[in-house]
Amino acid sequence: MGAGGRRGGRAGVGGRGVWGKRGGALGRTWLADEPETEHGTGRKRGSRKTRKTADLRAWRAGLKPESVVDLLHEAALNDDVLYTRLMNQALTAQASPDVPALKTAIRNSFATHGFMDYRRMRAFVQRAMTVPELLGNLCRTHPAEVAELALYAMRYGIKSYENLDDSDGSFGDIVRDVAMIHLEACREARPDGVKLARTVFKFQLQDDWVFFAFEDYAPLLGESGVAEYRKLAETAWQAVPSCGPKDKIRFSD
Protein backbone atom coordinates (compact mmCIF):
# COMPACT_ATOMS: atom_id res chain seq x y z
CA MET A 1 0.00 0.00 0.00
CA GLY A 2 2.18 2.85 -1.21
CA ALA A 3 1.11 6.46 -0.92
CA GLY A 4 -0.84 6.34 -4.13
CA GLY A 5 -2.36 2.95 -3.37
CA ARG A 6 -3.34 4.09 0.06
CA ARG A 7 -5.35 7.01 -1.26
CA GLY A 8 -6.87 4.75 -3.86
CA GLY A 9 -7.81 2.27 -1.14
CA ARG A 10 -9.59 4.96 0.80
CA ALA A 11 -11.57 6.06 -2.21
CA GLY A 12 -12.82 2.52 -2.63
CA VAL A 13 -13.58 1.77 1.00
CA GLY A 14 -17.35 1.81 0.63
CA GLY A 15 -19.70 -0.29 -1.44
CA ARG A 16 -17.89 -3.23 -3.02
CA GLY A 17 -14.50 -2.46 -1.43
CA VAL A 18 -13.21 -3.63 1.94
CA TRP A 19 -16.27 -2.33 3.75
CA GLY A 20 -18.57 -4.27 1.47
CA LYS A 21 -16.91 -7.52 2.60
CA ARG A 22 -15.78 -6.75 6.13
CA GLY A 23 -17.69 -3.68 7.25
CA GLY A 24 -20.89 -5.48 8.15
CA ALA A 25 -19.01 -8.03 10.21
CA LEU A 26 -17.03 -5.31 11.97
CA GLY A 27 -20.18 -3.39 12.71
CA ARG A 28 -22.01 -6.43 14.05
CA THR A 29 -19.04 -7.31 16.24
CA TRP A 30 -18.91 -3.79 17.60
CA LEU A 31 -22.63 -3.76 18.28
CA ALA A 32 -22.70 -7.16 19.94
CA ASP A 33 -22.71 -7.46 23.71
CA GLU A 34 -19.19 -8.58 24.64
CA PRO A 35 -18.02 -9.61 28.11
CA GLU A 36 -16.41 -7.14 30.43
CA THR A 37 -12.73 -6.57 29.77
CA GLU A 38 -10.01 -5.42 32.09
CA HIS A 39 -10.60 -1.90 30.81
CA GLY A 40 -14.22 -2.01 31.92
CA THR A 41 -13.75 -3.49 35.37
CA GLY A 42 -11.81 -2.61 38.45
CA ARG A 43 -12.02 1.11 37.82
CA LYS A 44 -13.26 3.71 40.22
CA ARG A 45 -16.99 4.27 39.84
CA GLY A 46 -17.70 7.50 38.00
CA SER A 47 -14.32 7.60 36.23
CA ARG A 48 -14.24 9.19 32.79
CA LYS A 49 -13.68 5.90 30.97
CA THR A 50 -16.47 4.18 32.89
CA ARG A 51 -18.90 6.94 32.02
CA LYS A 52 -17.87 6.89 28.36
CA THR A 53 -18.27 3.10 28.25
CA ALA A 54 -21.77 3.33 29.69
CA ASP A 55 -22.70 6.14 27.29
CA LEU A 56 -21.46 4.21 24.26
CA ARG A 57 -23.28 1.02 25.22
CA ALA A 58 -26.51 2.93 25.67
CA TRP A 59 -25.98 4.77 22.40
CA ARG A 60 -25.12 1.74 20.28
CA ALA A 61 -28.04 -0.32 21.59
CA GLY A 62 -30.36 1.31 19.07
CA LEU A 63 -27.91 1.43 16.15
CA LYS A 64 -27.87 -0.73 13.07
CA PRO A 65 -24.56 -2.26 11.85
CA GLU A 66 -24.70 -0.11 8.71
CA SER A 67 -24.65 3.03 10.84
CA VAL A 68 -21.53 1.91 12.65
CA VAL A 69 -19.85 1.06 9.34
CA ASP A 70 -20.62 4.53 8.01
CA LEU A 71 -19.22 6.15 11.16
CA LEU A 72 -16.05 4.05 11.02
CA HIS A 73 -15.69 4.85 7.34
CA GLU A 74 -15.91 8.58 8.01
CA ALA A 75 -13.54 8.40 10.98
CA ALA A 76 -10.97 6.32 9.07
CA LEU A 77 -10.78 8.93 6.32
CA ASN A 78 -9.41 11.38 8.88
CA ASP A 79 -7.45 9.03 11.14
CA ASP A 80 -4.44 7.23 9.66
CA VAL A 81 -4.07 4.90 12.65
CA LEU A 82 -7.71 3.80 12.54
CA TYR A 83 -7.47 3.39 8.78
CA THR A 84 -4.36 1.23 9.13
CA ARG A 85 -5.91 -0.94 11.84
CA LEU A 86 -9.03 -1.55 9.76
CA MET A 87 -7.01 -2.42 6.67
CA ASN A 88 -4.89 -4.77 8.77
CA GLN A 89 -8.04 -6.50 10.00
CA ALA A 90 -9.09 -7.05 6.41
CA LEU A 91 -5.65 -8.52 5.59
CA THR A 92 -5.64 -10.90 8.56
CA ALA A 93 -9.20 -12.03 7.79
CA GLN A 94 -8.11 -13.62 4.52
CA ALA A 95 -7.90 -17.41 4.43
CA SER A 96 -4.38 -17.29 2.99
CA PRO A 97 -2.00 -14.43 3.97
CA ASP A 98 -1.21 -11.99 1.18
CA VAL A 99 2.49 -11.68 2.05
CA PRO A 100 3.33 -8.87 -0.44
CA ALA A 101 0.38 -6.78 0.81
CA LEU A 102 1.35 -7.46 4.42
CA LYS A 103 4.93 -6.39 3.74
CA THR A 104 3.65 -3.15 2.22
CA ALA A 105 1.51 -2.53 5.30
CA ILE A 106 4.53 -3.11 7.56
CA ARG A 107 6.74 -0.85 5.47
CA ASN A 108 4.19 1.96 5.52
CA SER A 109 3.70 1.67 9.27
CA PHE A 110 7.45 1.85 9.99
CA ALA A 111 8.31 4.56 7.43
CA THR A 112 9.93 7.65 9.02
CA HIS A 113 10.18 9.97 5.99
CA GLY A 114 13.31 11.72 7.24
CA PHE A 115 14.50 12.22 10.80
CA MET A 116 11.68 11.80 13.30
CA ASP A 117 12.15 14.28 16.16
CA TYR A 118 10.52 13.84 19.55
CA ARG A 119 7.57 16.10 18.72
CA ARG A 120 6.53 13.83 15.86
CA MET A 121 7.13 10.58 17.70
CA ARG A 122 3.70 10.19 19.25
CA ALA A 123 1.87 9.96 15.92
CA PHE A 124 4.61 7.72 14.53
CA VAL A 125 4.49 5.34 17.49
CA GLN A 126 0.70 5.06 17.21
CA ARG A 127 1.10 4.06 13.58
CA ALA A 128 4.00 1.68 14.29
CA MET A 129 2.05 -0.09 17.04
CA THR A 130 -0.17 -1.61 14.37
CA VAL A 131 2.70 -3.87 13.22
CA PRO A 132 2.97 -6.15 16.30
CA GLU A 133 -0.83 -6.11 16.47
CA LEU A 134 -1.01 -7.32 12.87
CA LEU A 135 1.67 -10.00 13.29
CA GLY A 136 0.31 -11.18 16.63
CA ASN A 137 -3.12 -11.79 15.12
CA LEU A 138 -1.62 -13.82 12.26
CA CYS A 139 0.83 -15.80 14.37
CA ARG A 140 -1.89 -18.05 15.77
CA THR A 141 -2.82 -19.47 12.38
CA HIS A 142 0.13 -18.80 10.04
CA PRO A 143 3.38 -18.97 12.06
CA ALA A 144 5.64 -19.72 9.08
CA GLU A 145 4.48 -16.63 7.20
CA VAL A 146 4.70 -14.55 10.36
CA ALA A 147 8.32 -15.64 10.91
CA GLU A 148 9.13 -14.24 7.47
CA LEU A 149 7.09 -11.08 7.99
CA ALA A 150 8.57 -10.44 11.43
CA LEU A 151 12.09 -10.54 9.99
CA TYR A 152 10.98 -8.11 7.31
CA ALA A 153 9.57 -5.83 10.01
CA MET A 154 12.78 -6.11 12.04
CA ARG A 155 14.86 -4.96 9.09
CA TYR A 156 12.72 -1.85 8.71
CA GLY A 157 12.44 -1.40 12.45
CA ILE A 158 16.19 -1.40 13.03
CA LYS A 159 16.68 0.92 10.06
CA SER A 160 14.01 3.31 11.35
CA TYR A 161 15.40 3.14 14.88
CA GLU A 162 18.55 4.86 13.65
CA ASN A 163 16.51 7.73 12.22
CA LEU A 164 14.39 8.91 15.13
CA ASP A 165 14.46 10.28 18.65
CA ASP A 166 13.22 7.43 20.81
CA SER A 167 14.04 9.10 24.13
CA ASP A 168 11.23 7.36 26.00
CA GLY A 169 11.89 3.97 24.41
CA SER A 170 8.40 3.60 22.92
CA PHE A 171 9.54 2.51 19.48
CA GLY A 172 12.20 0.25 20.95
CA ASP A 173 9.44 -1.56 22.82
CA ILE A 174 7.53 -2.01 19.56
CA VAL A 175 10.55 -3.50 17.78
CA ARG A 176 11.19 -5.74 20.79
CA ASP A 177 7.58 -6.95 20.56
CA VAL A 178 8.14 -7.81 16.90
CA ALA A 179 11.30 -9.73 17.82
CA MET A 180 9.35 -11.69 20.43
CA ILE A 181 6.67 -12.49 17.86
CA HIS A 182 9.37 -13.79 15.52
CA LEU A 183 10.67 -16.06 18.29
CA GLU A 184 7.17 -17.33 19.03
CA ALA A 185 6.50 -17.92 15.32
CA CYS A 186 9.71 -19.94 15.06
CA ARG A 187 8.70 -22.02 18.07
CA GLU A 188 5.45 -22.86 16.31
CA ALA A 189 6.74 -23.27 12.74
CA ARG A 190 10.05 -24.98 13.60
CA PRO A 191 12.13 -23.75 10.63
CA ASP A 192 15.32 -25.47 9.51
CA GLY A 193 17.94 -25.10 12.26
CA VAL A 194 20.86 -24.21 9.98
CA LYS A 195 18.88 -21.53 8.14
CA LEU A 196 17.60 -20.13 11.43
CA ALA A 197 21.15 -20.00 12.81
CA ARG A 198 22.27 -17.97 9.79
CA THR A 199 19.31 -15.63 10.18
CA VAL A 200 19.87 -15.05 13.89
CA PHE A 201 23.60 -14.46 13.44
CA LYS A 202 23.04 -12.05 10.57
CA PHE A 203 20.60 -10.00 12.59
CA GLN A 204 22.83 -10.00 15.64
CA LEU A 205 25.55 -8.31 13.60
CA GLN A 206 23.11 -5.44 12.90
CA ASP A 207 21.47 -5.48 16.30
CA ASP A 208 23.03 -3.00 18.75
CA TRP A 209 19.99 -3.22 21.03
CA VAL A 210 20.01 -6.99 21.72
CA PHE A 211 16.63 -7.70 20.18
CA PHE A 212 17.92 -11.16 19.21
CA ALA A 213 19.54 -13.33 21.89
CA PHE A 214 21.25 -16.60 21.04
CA GLU A 215 20.02 -18.16 24.27
CA ASP A 216 16.40 -17.71 23.16
CA TYR A 217 16.94 -19.42 19.82
CA ALA A 218 19.42 -22.12 20.85
CA PRO A 219 16.73 -24.72 21.70
CA LEU A 220 15.31 -24.33 18.19
CA LEU A 221 18.60 -24.70 16.30
CA GLY A 222 19.41 -28.32 17.03
CA GLU A 223 22.94 -29.68 16.85
CA SER A 224 23.43 -28.75 13.20
CA GLY A 225 22.14 -25.23 13.78
CA VAL A 226 24.36 -24.66 16.81
CA ALA A 227 27.36 -25.96 14.82
CA GLU A 228 26.52 -23.55 11.99
CA TYR A 229 26.21 -20.65 14.42
CA ARG A 230 29.58 -21.52 15.99
CA LYS A 231 31.23 -21.66 12.56
CA LEU A 232 29.82 -18.24 11.62
CA ALA A 233 30.95 -16.73 14.92
CA GLU A 234 34.48 -18.13 14.59
CA THR A 235 34.76 -16.87 11.01
CA ALA A 236 33.61 -13.40 12.02
CA TRP A 237 36.02 -13.35 14.97
CA GLN A 238 38.97 -14.32 12.76
CA ALA A 239 38.17 -11.37 10.50
CA VAL A 240 38.61 -8.93 13.39
CA PRO A 241 42.13 -7.40 13.19
CA SER A 242 44.35 -8.13 16.16
CA CYS A 243 45.62 -5.26 18.28
CA GLY A 244 48.87 -5.04 20.21
CA PRO A 245 49.71 -2.93 23.27
CA LYS A 246 50.99 -0.07 21.10
CA ASP A 247 48.17 -0.11 18.56
CA LYS A 248 45.72 2.77 18.57
CA ILE A 249 42.15 1.65 18.83
CA ARG A 250 39.56 3.75 17.05
CA PHE A 251 36.08 3.48 18.47
CA SER A 252 33.06 4.11 16.30
CA ASP A 253 30.45 6.64 17.42
Side-chain angles (χ1 to χ4, degrees), residues 54-124:
D55 290 344
L56 286 171
R57 284 179 175 168
W59 168 72
R60 75 188 191 186
L63 285 180
K64 296 180 179 180
E66 310 86 70
S67 300
V68 179
V69 170
D70 289 341
L71 287 170
L72 285 172
H73 181 183
E74 182 178 352
L77 292 175
N78 300 293
D79 187 329
D80 286 342
V81 175
L82 177 58
Y83 172 83
T84 300
R85 293 186 69 187
L86 292 173
M87 295 302 100
N88 287 351
Q89 283 195 24
L91 287 172
T92 56
Q94 297 179 6
S96 179
D98 185 344
V99 173
L102 289 163
K103 286 184 175 180
T104 299
I106 291 168
R107 188 168 63 248
N108 288 342
S109 295
F110 274 179
T112 56
H113 306 297
F115 181 76
M116 190 73 62
D117 60 31
Y118 189 76
R119 293 174 297 177
R120 299 168 58 202
M121 280 297 295
R122 181 174 181 179
F124 171 71

Side-chain angles (χ1 to χ4, degrees), residues 23 29 84 95 97 101 109 112 114 126 174 188 192 222:
T29 300
T84 300
S109 295
T112 56
Q126 288 179 335
I174 291 172
E188 293 292 329
D192 177 76

